[in-house]
Amino acid sequence: MQSLRLRIIVTLVVLVLGLAYMLPSVPGVSGSALGKILPGEPVNLGLDLKGGIHLTLGVDMETAMRNNLARLGDDLKSAAREENIFVLRPNILSDSRVEIVLLKADQQKGFEKAVADYTPFDIESVEPMDGSKVKYVLAVQPTYKKEMAKLTLDQAIKTIRNRIDQFGVAEPDIRKQEGNRIQVQLPGLQDPERAIKIIGQTAHLEFKMVDDTADVAKATEGILAPGRELSVVLHRQANGSYTETPIVLKKDAVLTGEYITDAKVQLDSWNQAYVSITFNSRGGAIFANLTGENVNKRMAIVLDGKVYSAPVIQEKITGGRASITGQFTREEARDLAVVLRAGSLPAPVEILEQRTVGPSLGQESIDKGIMSALIGMGMVLGFMIIYYGFAGFVADVVLCLNIMLILGGLVAFGATLTLPGIAGIILTIGMAVDANVIIFERIREELRRGLTVRAAIAEGYGRATLTILDANVTTVIAAIILYQFGTGPIRGFAVTLTLGIITSMFTAIFVSRILFDLYTKNRADNSKLSI
């Protein structure tokens, strides 16, 4: 008796919790007074049910490695200069090798010590040149490249997540995939072009000095002085398109976007939107010195290799603030502020796959999924009562409780319901009934052997439980494998299947046994059981 009371208490606690988490998913409850005191939120719907955008991005890892080697080369050049060792600008040979020319051969020992102390480079070759110069080819190890690729992918995911969070998308799904790919799912978002623009923009911001003495015409023909580069200034037209004007810049950036702490949209006196940026203390000091030393010269603001504006510095600018003007619309300025606040991507990304699911298609999937579940469940409920009588009614009750616990569990664990997830629930309905069928057939066998109802129930549950556990454990193992190696909807199927198996074992074995014990509690040993 004490055992039965304890089992009833455990069951009631589980069912009340399941009901509390499931109810907000019922239409009309989440916004009501009851919904405000319940612990859960409506179940999260996946991309295939809610509609939205699916993107597969490929990260340009070769460019990332080249950028990293360029930074390492510049760091080595700076470290050598502090030791009064002078080298020329590093030349990137590949995604793992860089060439550096030492100006004085008698400084080889000091330079090689700087390479060992400040960089992960190994010296691949040393070649004397004309005069006293020495050419070094430095290379990084494959293990370093592998580690950098992992860090690059992690940083890209973090940056994309920051941008999406500021974009205001609820429940985005961003995950790493094999082959330097990133999967992005944005449920509820219906503007793919804007999403791609925000996610895919590298947002590499640089400040470079303009070389107004250079001959732009010759530069467009490829004739450039050392340390100079040709770029273009963007001019927005009335129809929203941009024209480009060539401009010659000094190649070395004098300041980069890594010092930005904030970026926001502002309006000038002509009601034109621009982006106001704020530097940290170090960036502010660099910017103040830079503007103080270059009064009456032009400084270009370069974003992803294109010049948005190149104003003349009128005076030294203190306070750590600057602005990017480019005849932006307010939406363009807001999106630019978002990507600058979130930081730049470590490498360009390419859209490899793009799918958009409309909300009407998602609602149609929900309606058909619910209809399928109701039809399947109705047929199962009817069959069980017709074939097993009272025992079938017990199976129907625990089956309804099982569905409630699955939905409550999805909300409690923050899982997402997808279209394959609905299929998993329908599959679970069959598996839950299958467990009851095994138990009931065992009980029938014991009754035919002449056991009393109470003894037959105890014997039937005792013999069937192990068989049910064995069958369900193997299915759970398969579901775990699906979850581990699957993506998106496949994972949703694995989650609902696993959750459904656990709850079906609880209801089919534990709860239904309680109902049978309550039924036989005050009955005579020779009473009959409708089964």
Side-chain angles (χ1 to χ4, degrees):
M1 180 62 71
Q2 189 174 359
S3 169
L4 179 60
R5 185 178 299 122
L6 181 60
R7 283 185 289 150
I8 291 174
I9 292 173
V10 171
T11 301
L12 288 177
V13 170
V14 173
L15 294 180
V16 168
L17 284 175
L19 184 64
Y21 279 101
M22 186 274 289
L23 276 179
S25 300
V26 176
V29 174
S30 61
S32 66
L34 175 62
K36 294 178 181 176
I37 62 174
L38 292 173
E41 298 288 334
V43 64
N44 297 324
L45 298 180
L47 194 71
D48 50 358
L49 296 180
K50 192 175 183 179
I53 300 170
H54 170 101
L55 298 172
T56 301
L57 310 174
V59 179
D60 185 350
M61 206 55 74
E62 182 174 348
T63 300
M65 286 305 303
R66 283 179 170 272
N67 292 340
N68 183 56
L69 289 182
R71 283 194 294 272
L72 289 175
D74 289 339
D75 291 344
L76 176 59
K77 182 180 177 183
S78 300
R81 187 184 302 159
E82 291 179 1
E83 302 292 334
N84 292 321
I85 300 172
F86 297 96
V87 298
L88 297 180
R89 183 182 178 84
N91 180 32
I92 309 301
L93 300 178
S94 68
D95 62 351
S96 61
R97 298 163 68 240
V98 59
E99 178 186 276
I100 295 182
V101 175
L102 177 66
L103 295 180
K104 296 180 179 179
D106 58 355
Q107 294 180 330
Q108 276 187 263
K109 190 174 180 180
F111 176 71
E112 291 173 5
K113 184 176 184 303
V115 171
D117 290 345
Y118 298 108
T119 72
F121 286 126
D122 291 332
I123 298 175
E124 187 176 278
S125 66
V126 181
E127 179 183 341
M129 300 177 66
D130 294 339
S132 61
K133 297 178 183 176
V134 180
K135 182 169 70 177
Y136 281 84
V137 175
L138 310 176
V140 293
Q141 295 291 328
T143 52
Y144 178 82
K145 283 184 64 179
K146 188 176 179 181
E147 180 64 20
M148 283 308 304
K150 180 177 179 299
L151 291 176
T152 299
L153 209 54
D154 290 341
Q155 186 184 343
I157 290 175
K158 183 179 178 182
T159 302
I160 291 172
R161 188 178 298 280
N162 286 340
R163 292 181 181 182
I164 292 173
D165 287 345
Q166 296 193 38
F167 195 49
V169 177
E171 305 294 339
D173 183 7
I174 307 166
R175 63 187 66 198
K176 191 188 306 182
Q177 291 191 316
E178 293 294 324
N180 300 324
R181 296 183 176 189
I182 299 172
Q183 174 190 285
V184 180
Q185 291 191 340
L186 307 173
L189 195 63
Q190 299 302 323
D191 189 351
E193 291 186 3
R194 190 178 176 201
I196 290 171
K197 184 179 176 184
I198 289 180
I199 293 171
Q201 188 171 4
T202 306
H204 183 55
L205 180 66
E206 297 173 301
F207 294 81
K208 294 184 176 181
M209 298 309 300
V210 179
D211 185 357
D212 285 316
T213 63
D215 188 333
V216 177
K218 289 185 177 178
T220 56
E221 297 172 356
I223 304 173
L224 278 167
R228 301 294 186 270
E229 66 179 8
L230 182 65
S231 185
V232 292
V233 184
L234 297 179
H235 302 280
R236 184 184 176 83
Q237 303 302 302
N239 61 2
S241 62
Y242 284 90
T243 58
E244 299 179 347
T245 304
I247 186 173
V248 177
L249 306 176
K250 295 182 178 178
K251 188 175 287 186
D252 290 333
V254 291
L255 187 62
T256 65
E258 65 179 311
Y259 300 106
I260 291 177
T261 58
D262 191 20
K264 54 189 176 185
V265 180
Q266 301 279 7
L267 297 176
D268 61 16
S269 57
W270 301 96
N271 211 29
Q272 176 67 49
Y274 68 94
V275 179
S276 170
I277 56 178
T278 305
F279 297 108
N280 60 20
S281 57
R282 186 181 176 193
I286 295 173
F287 192 65
N289 292 334
L290 175 67
T291 51
E293 294 170 357
N294 294 280
V295 174
N296 295 326
K297 295 180 181 177
R298 286 204 297 164
M299 184 172 63
I301 300 174
V302 187
L303 184 67
D304 292 342
K306 295 187 175 179
V307 179
Y308 278 75
S309 59
V312 177
I313 301 172
Q314 302 292 344
E315 59 182 355
K316 180 177 181 179
I317 303 174
T318 58
R321 291 179 183 275
S323 59
I324 303 175
T325 58
Q327 297 177 311
F328 302 116
T329 65
R330 293 191 185 187
E331 184 177 277
E332 288 174 335
R334 186 164 55 249
D335 291 349
L336 178 58
V338 165
V339 297
L340 290 177
R341 280 199 303 269
S344 62
L345 286 172
V349 296
E350 179 187 4
I351 307 296
L352 301 177
E353 182 188 3
Q354 173 189 339
R355 284 187 281 121
T356 303
V357 181
S360 57
L361 182 59
Q363 186 60 46
E364 184 180 350
S365 300
I366 294 175
D367 295 340
K368 288 186 176 178
I370 292 175
M371 182 60 69
S372 301
L374 289 176
I375 292 174
M377 194 170 175
M379 294 178 67
V380 169
L381 295 178
F383 171 80
M384 292 301 288
I385 289 180
I386 293 171
Y387 195 75
Y388 289 106
F390 171 76
F393 172 74
V394 172
D396 290 349
V397 171
V398 297
L399 184 59
C400 293
L401 297 177
N402 182 38
I403 301 298
M404 182 190 76
L405 290 178
I406 292 174
L407 293 176
L410 287 174
V411 176
F413 294 112
T416 300
L417 182 62
T418 61
L419 190 58
I422 293 178
I425 293 175
I426 297 173
L427 177 61
T428 303
I429 293 174
M431 296 180 69
V433 172
D434 186 52
N436 286 119
V437 169
I438 294 173
I439 294 170
F440 295 166
E441 292 301 324
R442 281 287 186 183
I443 294 174
R444 277 181 168 180
E445 289 179 8
E446 302 306 327
L447 288 173
R448 283 196 288 268
R449 285 176 53 207
L451 295 184
T452 64
V453 170
R454 194 174 291 115
I457 291 172
E459 197 68 18
Y461 272 92
R463 292 191 174 191
T465 299
L466 191 58
T467 303
I468 296 169
L469 284 175
D470 285 346
N472 285 333
V473 165
T474 54
T475 308
V476 168
I477 292 173
I480 291 173
I481 294 172
L482 278 177
Y483 183 84
Q484 182 65 31
F485 296 103
T487 59
I490 303 299
R491 284 191 161 197
F493 174 77
V495 168
T496 52
L497 182 61
T498 305
L499 194 58
I501 289 171
I502 294 172
T503 56
S504 70
M505 284 195 291
F506 173 74
T507 54
I509 299 174
F510 194 77
V511 179
S512 67
R513 176 65 188 274
I514 293 175
L515 296 178
F516 276 115
D517 286 348
L518 290 173
Y519 176 76
T520 60
K521 180 181 174 185
N522 296 317
R523 293 180 180 272
D525 287 342
N526 59 353
S527 60
K528 300 293 183 182
L529 175 64
S530 173
I531 188 169

